[in-house]
Amino acid sequence: MLRLPSTITLAAALGLVLAWTLPSQAQAPGTPPSAPPVIVAMSTEGSDNVALNVIGSGVARQSVTLYPAVAGEVAQVNFRTGQNVKAGHVLFRLTDRSQKLAADLAAARVDAAQALARRYEGTRGTGAVPESVVDEARATLRAAQIEREQALEAVADRVVRAPFDGVMGLANVEVGDRVTTDTALVTLDDRRALRLDFEVPEAYLSRVAARQPLSAINPAYPARTFEGEITEVDSRVDPVTRNVRVRATLPNSDDVLRSGMSFQVQLQLSGQTHVSVPELALQWGRDGSFVWAVRDGNSVQVMARPVRRIAGRVLIDSELKVGETVVIEGVQRLRANRPVRVIGNGS
């Protein structure tokens, strides 16, 4: 009984407050809604260009690790580390005395078989020597010639030559070492140009092509940029990484680059042209993304699919035109085809 008057008094006071405030905020019936203030910006043209930075590995234009064709003992090492050699230069010799003796013996057999065959050939048609004997002598000569070729091949197998012009690496063996066909003797690199291998994401495959220029930076020369161009693009996309292998060529006329070096590859990929708007202009609704455009003083909702964000702006696919005005602040009170009041112009 004592709390009832205070409750009634509070309700009465609240009613007085509402009665005082609500009429002052209400709008007269039939009066059009006031134009909400907005800040706008201009849509511009932008290109979907991509600056791609990936890591690549350099390999000499021609690079090989040399192995002996046969097992044996190293008799000679005929080069210095870092030496430039020509194709055919003798790099290693293995001991070959037995093989040379076998070649001399085979040559002697050829001489004897050749003399006998000529003697028999001289009697052809006289009947002094049967034709079968003449044929046998000719076959013996041919067999002796084959044995000589095999013996000479065995001698040649004990010589390791440079397969192409290049620069010699460190020798892995010395005179007197025993080697087998699995022994890596030395590396040879033709590094007048380097092959640069790297990978590009599948999404950019359509933008990569042969003869496309690129630049590369190596940690050994951080202040220097090496220019090259793409030469080959792989025919497959890796199903695990979803990347495609790309090969480029870097000229190395001053011979500062080495096989096995790592590079930071910088590749400029050109893209299509799109309409560009500030990030604040892009809104999201139940039907997707859109922007508010101001046309003839009214707000118009224009659907816009974002393509890529670049430095505070968004490239969009939309019917919006370059040079149109879009709202970047004050979007909360906008309604379609309603007047707006522009109070500022942003970037």
Side-chain angles (χ1 to χ4, degrees):
M1 295 297 294
L2 294 175
R3 300 177 61 182
L4 181 59
S6 60
T7 305
I8 296 175
T9 303
L10 181 60
L14 183 59
L16 290 174
V17 171
L18 292 175
W20 177 264
T21 57
L22 289 179
S24 63
Q25 296 179 359
Q27 193 164 356
T31 303
S34 60
V38 295
I39 296 177
V40 298
M42 194 75 69
S43 64
T44 60
E45 184 177 80
S47 296
D48 185 22
N49 297 334
V50 177
L52 201 60
N53 287 276
V54 296
I55 300 299
S57 297
V59 181
R61 181 174 63 178
Q62 286 183 286
S63 182
V64 67
T65 300
L66 298 175
Y67 293 82
V70 294
E73 181 181 333
V74 178
Q76 294 179 11
V77 179
N78 298 323
F79 65 89
R80 303 182 312 277
T81 300
Q83 178 181 347
N84 285 281
V85 298
K86 297 292 184 180
H89 181 85
V90 175
L91 304 177
F92 296 93
R93 287 186 185 275
L94 305 183
T95 53
D96 56 2
R97 177 173 174 78
S98 297
Q99 288 72 31
K100 285 183 175 179
L101 290 175
D104 291 341
L105 179 59
R109 288 174 177 169
V110 168
D111 292 341
Q114 205 167 34
L116 183 62
R118 276 199 301 265
R119 187 178 307 118
Y120 285 167
E121 286 289 342
T123 64
R124 186 182 291 277
T126 64
V129 178
E131 288 294 326
S132 59
V133 175
V134 176
D135 292 340
E136 184 178 351
R138 290 164 59 186
T140 301
L141 173 60
R142 180 57 183 155
Q145 290 172 336
I146 293 174
E147 289 178 358
R148 182 185 60 182
E149 293 299 323
Q150 290 175 331
L152 292 175
E153 191 69 23
V155 174
D157 283 344
R158 279 159 173 75
V159 178
V160 180
R161 300 178 182 271
F164 50 80
D165 298 354
V167 181
M168 300 304 306
L170 286 167
N172 296 322
V173 297
E174 297 179 355
V175 174
D177 283 343
R178 296 288 301 181
V179 297
T180 68
T181 55
D182 294 328
T183 304
L185 302 177
V186 71
T187 59
L188 175 65
D189 296 324
D190 178 5
R191 59 191 189 206
R192 289 172 291 181
L194 256 65
R195 297 198 317 262
L196 178 58
D197 291 343
F198 57 96
E199 294 185 348
V200 171
E202 176 186 6
Y204 301 122
L205 178 58
S206 61
R207 307 190 193 189
V208 178
R211 305 190 64 82
Q212 192 169 345
L214 56 79
S215 58
I217 298 175
N218 177 261
Y221 306 96
R224 183 172 175 180
T225 300
F226 299 92
E227 305 295 335
E229 67 174 19
I230 293 175
T231 53
E232 298 173 276
V233 180
D234 201 358
S235 60
R236 294 184 178 182
V237 174
D238 190 312
V240 177
T241 64
R242 296 302 175 188
N243 293 336
V244 60
R245 290 181 58 207
V246 178
R247 176 166 293 171
T249 299
L250 291 179
N252 189 30
S253 57
D254 52 358
D255 197 31
V256 296
L257 302 179
R258 298 290 183 269
S259 186
M261 277 184 164
S262 64
F263 293 88
Q264 180 181 351
V265 183
Q266 300 173 343
L267 190 61
Q268 301 295 329
L269 303 178
S270 58
Q272 297 180 344
T273 299
H274 297 273
V275 175
S276 173
V277 298
E279 287 183 331
L280 292 174
L282 189 65
Q283 305 296 312
W284 296 86
R286 290 180 299 177
D287 297 329
S289 53
F290 64 91
V291 296
W292 287 107
V294 177
R295 294 173 178 172
D296 298 328
N298 295 329
S299 57
V300 179
Q301 191 179 81
V302 183
M303 301 305 295
R305 182 184 67 85
V307 176
R308 195 161 64 91
R309 298 178 185 269
I310 305 175
R313 298 184 71 87
V314 184
L315 301 179
I316 58 174
D317 274 339
S318 174
E319 66 174 17
L320 189 74
K321 305 298 182 185
V322 174
E324 285 198 80
T325 301
V326 293
V327 178
I328 59 174
E329 290 189 38
V331 297
Q332 295 83 359
R333 299 179 59 188
L334 295 183
R335 299 295 182 269
N337 301 314
R338 296 289 181 87
V340 295
R341 179 164 51 92
V342 178
I343 61 172
N345 197 324
S347 58

